[in-house]
Amino acid sequence: MKALIYKTLQEYFGYTDFKEGQENIISSIMGNGDVLGIMPTGGGKSLCYQLPALLLPGVTLVISPLIALMKDQVDSLTDLGIPSTFINSTLKQNEVERRITHASNNEFKLLYIAPERLESQEFRDFLKSVPISLVTVDEAHCISQWGHDFRPSYLSIAPLINQLPQRPIVAAFTATATKKVVQDIVHLLSLKEPEIVITGYNRENLHFSVEKPDNKHTFILEYIENHKDQTGIIYCTTKKEVDRLHEFLNLKGISICKYHAGMESAERNRIQENFIYDKYEVMVATNAFGMGIDKSNIRFVIHHNMPKNIEAYYQEAGRAGRDGLHAECILLYAPMDVRIQRFMIEKLPETAEKAGEYEKLQEMISYCHTPRCLRKYILEYFGEKNVPAACDNCKNCGNSHLVDITIEAQKVLSCVKRMGGNFGILFTAAVLKGSRTKRIKETGFDKLSTYGIMSNLATVQITDIIQHLITEGYLHITKDKYPVLRLLNRATAVLKGNEKVFGIAFQTPKEAEETYSSLFESLRALRRDIAANENLPPYIVFHDSTLLEMCRHLPADRQSMLEIEGMGRRKFEKYGETFIQAIGRYIAENNIEPAPGAIFKSDNTPVKAASHLITFEMYKLGKSIENIAAEREIILSTAKDHLLRCWQEGYRINLDDLIKSGYENVILDKIKEIGCERLKPIKEALPDEIDYFSIRAVIKKYNLG
Ligand code: ADP
Ligand code: MG
Ligand code: ZN
């Protein structure tokens, strides 16, 4: 058998040797056993089932979510002289029938289908008439809700296999394998004592780096200009950012295309195809793009934002350099990315996994702050042992300029100690910076000897040093919604002057950060309105620096808003909620896709369980708005905002629930009196206890505005 396998490898595929893991997997399949192959992107998973497909008597059914790539794969197999075909939604019905007839006659060795096909009883019946020897499940992590690409239709695979007249061999493949996902694959596919083959995660040809540029857009532009004629992908967290970056680069004359789930599916397929065929050099996309992209010559993957965890990062970055040649993976970090990711987690329903998400996020943040080998960090995250301390192919290994930051570290550590270990990163940074916020006064921390001892640095730099100390094991951060800092034993040596701390030289951020400009602009517009209303110059309302701080840290509730520099108690009372709401809208509009645990429809269209719909689900269960807010840990006004939005989208909401009881007529009278062009005058003319939502709800209920 071994000789036959090698002969086939050479004759059909033209290779002399197997890549790591391939031979093992192929022998297991040929020995009639189930397998689960966990190999990195570019590891050569396809060959693991294509070669056995040639040798086995019947048909190999390949289930893959990647419709856009099926044609390519089938074309290249046909080119190798291996009869194969695919059936998916891109074909006309009579063509589907034609292919089905040929398949029933055992004319193909491989038949590719999308998982959604299996939902059709007719198709399942057809499969019963085909001699299937091997079922291959590609991108098998899609079966797990804990992976990042869950597809419900993958759950139809096991029932199908059980229905077949003779149980075929089952082979599953994926590049991602956390324990939980592996368990799910084995269990949900009902693999029979599978041979699990895990090859190393290392991708030697990838160069890793983390950058903290002041302006991400110009950084990317310069990078592209210095790497002319190279193909690359730039990932952004949100659709909006994709649009903005695309527009920016397009105006600068870069050959660029974009991809996100907000686009028509036909348009997405067209773009993807054009990119694969090198019609564009650079792709800007959300993580909706690229699962299993087989394009082998991608020379760089830049992350415009930090992803939610290392699994997601490594999978996306891993799309670079599948051909084994040098390629670069660059992550652009900014503190705002942390806030966005935290928001995304906060929105998830309360499950046991939610806490785990915070933990994974912190590991991702630490990746962005470690001064050590980035590759080692990643490989150890995936549980590899005995990884060499330096790889000589990442930014940190190439960076011989670690600087002594012992003094800064001592300042931070002693401040955490004095604060008693119950406060978060931003608040601690504010104390070190010497901010004059209400909460600092209340806690009396402005009396600490460490108050303001880092006032020469920008807040971002201080939070960076704190993150560095977490990464290096001097500080512990609790992993939950309100994480707080604690000193670890190792800190004592630093405080006593017995241990030095080294870090990456910190950069001085510039004031105007274009990266944040869309939020910055809308906050400025809000400030302009307020200022006009109150007849004040805008800077009296808030300084630019305060708006910038809001952009950096995205405060979402009273407490975090009060930690923003320049947000005193009076300012908060006057404007705080308005700005919290503006930031909330920004977060909502910039929704990440696909949300963790997103539900997929067929053909690659992710459907998000949007936050307001989660609120609606709870509302339908008869819960009060107060209870929903408490349970979801969102502020009351957000919950109300959600319901108003649902109402607008046509969901059945009883608007009376949003109107403060007993006040409906009072509000209605005022509206009749002064009109409803603007809400503020109405609000001011009414008793204080009536909130804006009551007014908005009345306007909607009577269809006035
Ligand atoms: P993935 O594991 O990501 O699905 P692929 O199956 O697409 O990877 O393979 C990645 C690349 O490796 C392809 O270009 C393929 O032709 C090549 N490849 C696969 N097996 C071998 C081999 N034994 N020797 C050399 N190249 C190989
Ligand atoms: Mg593949
Ligand atoms: Zn390294």
Side-chain angles (χ1 to χ4, degrees):
M1 179 53 81
K2 188 169 166 162
L4 177 62
I5 291 174
Y6 269 89
K7 187 164 166 274
T8 317
L9 178 70
Q10 287 181 6
E11 275 181 12
Y12 278 88
F13 297 92
Y15 299 132
T16 43
D17 253 315
F18 283 110
K19 291 191 170 196
E20 191 187 348
Q22 285 180 329
E23 188 176 3
N24 196 345
I25 291 174
I26 292 171
S27 319
S28 298
I29 294 176
M30 295 314 294
N32 220 0
D34 286 359
V35 296
L36 168 54
I38 299 163
M39 297 160 83
T41 312
K45 291 184 281 291
S46 321
L47 186 92
C48 296
Y49 58 82
Q50 289 169 348
L51 196 154
L54 265 171
L55 302 178
L56 292 167
V59 177
T60 290
L61 182 69
V62 184
I63 299 162
S64 160
L66 307 166
I67 297 196
L69 297 171
M70 284 182 189
K71 187 170 178 308
D72 273 16
Q73 301 217 344
V74 165
D75 286 350
S76 60
L77 284 167
T78 313
D79 204 45
L80 295 173
I82 305 171
S84 17
T85 195
F86 65 89
I87 293 178
N88 66 29
S89 54
T90 65
L91 302 175
K92 296 233 164 61
Q93 186 55 29
N94 57 353
E95 177 61 19
V96 171
E97 275 156 22
R98 204 181 62 81
R99 293 184 184 198
I100 283 181
T101 316
H102 287 285
S104 314
N105 296 337
N106 203 4
E107 286 173 33
F108 298 119
K109 295 283 22 164
L110 290 110
L111 170 59
Y112 283 78
I113 61 162
E116 289 78 23
R117 274 288 131 180
L118 299 177
E119 284 161 18
S120 140
Q121 180 62 46
E122 206 184 332
F123 192 77
R124 289 203 303 267
D125 288 341
F126 146 69
L127 287 178
K128 283 188 217 161
S129 71
V130 184
I132 296 175
S133 313
L134 170 64
V135 170
T136 291
V137 184
D138 207 3
E139 313 292 346
H141 58 275
C142 291
I143 204 168
S144 170
Q145 303 216 34
W146 312 124
H148 31 80
D149 295 307
F150 174 57
R151 289 190 170 229
S153 43
Y154 264 63
L155 298 172
S156 330
I157 298 174
L160 163 85
I161 291 171
N162 289 333
Q163 275 184 16
L164 294 175
Q166 212 184 350
R167 188 185 186 277
I169 307 163
V170 183
F173 297 93
T174 178
T176 13
T178 53
K179 240 198 217 141
K180 186 108 191 153
V181 173
V182 171
Q183 277 171 6
D184 272 1
I185 294 175
V186 172
H187 177 68
L188 296 171
L189 283 177
S190 311
L191 296 182
K192 275 200 194 147
E193 294 164 28
E195 173 87 12
I196 301 182
V197 178
I198 305 178
T199 66
Y201 279 88
N202 192 16
R203 305 271 314 277
E204 277 169 12
N205 60 317
L206 300 186
H207 179 274
F208 292 96
S209 58
V210 175
E211 304 283 347
K212 297 167 187 167
D214 291 322
N215 186 319
K216 292 179 173 184
H217 284 195
T218 34
F219 178 97
I220 291 170
L221 177 64
E222 275 169 26
Y223 183 91
I224 295 174
E225 284 178 338
N226 291 330
H227 296 81
K228 283 231 152 60
D229 305 322
Q230 291 196 355
T231 298
I233 306 176
I234 304 164
Y235 280 109
C236 301
T237 313
T238 68
K239 289 184 248 183
K240 268 223 167 144
E241 268 158 347
V242 167
D243 290 338
R244 284 178 50 224
L245 182 60
H246 177 265
E247 193 187 334
F248 171 78
L249 294 172
N250 203 23
L251 282 173
K252 301 283 177 187
I254 307 288
S255 154
I256 193 155
C257 58
K258 66 174 176 181
Y259 186 107
H260 58 61
M263 294 157 54
E264 287 286 310
S265 128
E267 172 71 356
R268 288 204 313 264
N269 289 340
R270 191 184 65 78
I271 299 277
Q272 174 158 336
E273 201 141 289
N274 281 340
F275 179 68
I276 287 172
Y277 289 103
D278 287 337
K279 296 218 176 84
Y280 297 105
E281 263 154 23
V282 182
M283 165 71 89
V284 188
T286 61
N287 60 1
F289 175 71
M291 197 199 357
I293 285 301
D294 281 354
K295 190 169 169 61
S296 64
N297 64 337
I298 291 169
R299 294 273 67 83
F300 62 87
V301 171
I302 298 178
H303 276 76
H304 177 270
N305 305 95
M306 180 188 73
K308 63 176 176 163
N309 58 39
I310 302 267
E311 281 97 333
Y313 179 63
Y314 202 51
Q315 197 184 47
E316 286 156 21
R319 291 179 185 134
R322 289 170 67 115
D323 50 12
L325 302 175
H326 178 80
E328 301 203 2
C329 309
I330 305 168
L331 194 162
L332 306 184
Y333 172 87
M336 185 196 211
D337 300 333
V338 177
R339 284 305 298 155
I340 298 251
Q341 295 298 355
R342 294 197 76 87
F343 275 117
M344 298 317 299
I345 299 175
E346 278 158 29
K347 279 195 210 163
L348 297 176
E350 296 300 327
T351 59
E353 275 64 31
K354 188 163 166 173
E357 293 295 324
Y358 285 117
E359 198 160 337
K360 287 182 178 180
L361 175 60
Q362 184 55 46
E363 309 228 41
M364 184 75 247
I365 300 168
S366 288
Y367 173 80
C368 300
H369 290 86
T370 180
R372 296 167 202 284
C373 177
L374 293 170
R375 182 181 317 274
K376 181 176 168 70
Y377 187 97
I378 294 174
L379 296 179
E380 286 184 343
Y381 177 86
F382 288 116
E384 286 198 13
K385 305 251 154 40
N386 306 322
V387 185
C391 72
D392 288 330
N393 193 22
C394 76
K395 183 176 181 211
N396 290 354
C397 285
N399 188 349
S400 50
H401 317 293
L402 288 187
V403 293
D404 186 337
I405 56 164
T406 311
I407 306 260
E408 283 78 9
Q410 284 169 335
K411 288 178 181 172
V412 171
L413 296 174
S414 82
C415 191
V416 172
K417 189 172 176 187
R418 276 158 225 272
M419 289 169 70
N422 257 322
F423 297 91
I425 296 176
L426 196 54
F427 189 58
T428 307
V431 172
L432 285 158
K433 172 84 185 163
S435 302
R436 278 183 282 276
T437 68
K438 172 174 165 274
R439 192 159 163 238
I440 292 182
K441 289 218 184 72
E442 278 175 2
T443 49
F445 289 153
D446 53 346
K447 308 280 183 314
L448 293 181
S449 58
T450 49
Y451 175 74
I453 50 171
M454 297 182 95
S455 58
N456 58 319
L457 298 180
T459 310
V460 248
Q461 293 174 314
I462 304 175
T463 54
D464 242 32
I465 295 169
I466 297 176
Q467 288 289 3
H468 179 85
L469 294 170
I470 296 170
T471 306
E472 290 290 277
Y474 298 103
L475 284 174
H476 172 76
I477 179 110
T478 56
K479 278 139 192 144
D480 45 30
K481 187 169 177 211
Y482 295 110
V484 298
L485 291 168
R486 305 258 155 82
L487 284 189
L488 288 172
N489 288 340
R490 228 186 134 184
T492 319
V494 178
L495 284 169
K496 284 190 179 149
N498 296 336
E499 185 174 330
K500 283 194 176 308
V501 181
F502 291 91
I504 301 163
F506 29 86
Q507 306 134 343
T508 318
K510 298 197 195 78
E511 262 311 291
E513 282 159 88
E514 229 180 277
T515 314
Y516 304 140
S517 67
S518 91
L519 175 60
F520 190 55
E521 274 157 25
S522 56
L523 295 186
R524 275 176 45 171
L526 183 59
R527 180 181 63 177
R528 205 182 315 118
D529 289 350
I530 293 176
N533 239 321
E534 311 223 330
N535 220 350
L536 288 170
Y539 67 86
I540 298 279
V541 178
F542 284 121
H543 286 299
D544 274 7
S545 60
T546 302
L547 299 187
L548 259 172
E549 283 286 287
M550 290 186 207
C551 293
R552 287 199 187 108
H553 301 295
L554 306 177
D557 51 28
R558 184 187 153 83
Q559 178 173 328
S560 43
M561 190 53 114
L562 280 168
E563 283 172 18
I564 295 294
E565 251 188 286
M567 180 64 76
R569 177 206 294 272
R570 278 204 30 91
K571 292 248 186 248
F572 181 83
E573 277 165 9
K574 284 170 86 174
Y575 317 120
E577 283 298 333
T578 320
F579 278 82
I580 286 175
Q581 278 177 26
I583 292 167
R585 274 196 299 277
Y586 173 83
I587 299 291
E589 283 167 8
N590 279 279
N591 226 337
I592 290 175
E593 46 145 299
I599 312 152
F600 280 87
K601 284 197 302 206
S602 57
D603 289 18
N604 240 349
T605 317
V607 188
K608 231 183 352 259
S611 189
H612 65 295
L613 297 180
I614 298 174
T615 298
F616 179 66
E617 287 306 319
M618 295 169 78
Y619 176 80
K620 270 200 313 202
L621 295 174
K623 297 190 177 174
S624 74
I625 306 181
E626 284 75 12
N627 282 343
I628 296 173
E631 227 173 278
R632 296 202 58 199
E633 298 187 57
I634 53 183
I635 53 176
L636 193 59
S637 58
T638 305
K640 290 182 178 173
D641 215 30
H642 284 167
L643 293 180
L644 268 181
R645 185 161 156 208
C646 290
W647 187 85
Q648 260 160 342
E649 289 176 11
Y651 292 92
R652 287 180 60 135
I653 302 285
N654 183 358
L655 285 173
D656 292 343
D657 291 341
L658 289 163
I659 302 172
K660 196 160 177 64
S661 65
Y663 285 99
E664 184 169 324
N665 288 330
V666 185
I667 299 171
L668 198 56
D669 288 343
K670 268 288 169 282
I671 293 174
K672 282 181 186 150
E673 191 184 314
I674 51 185
C676 59
E677 252 101 63
R678 287 178 49 236
L679 296 182
K680 202 166 176 217
I682 309 174
K683 168 96 173 83
E684 278 169 359
L686 286 165
D688 267 345
E689 62 270 27
I690 300 179
D691 60 3
Y692 276 108
F693 290 96
S694 301
I695 304 172
R696 282 167 64 190
V698 170
I699 293 175
K700 300 221 151 96
K701 183 171 173 187
Y702 292 92
N703 218 351
L704 301 167

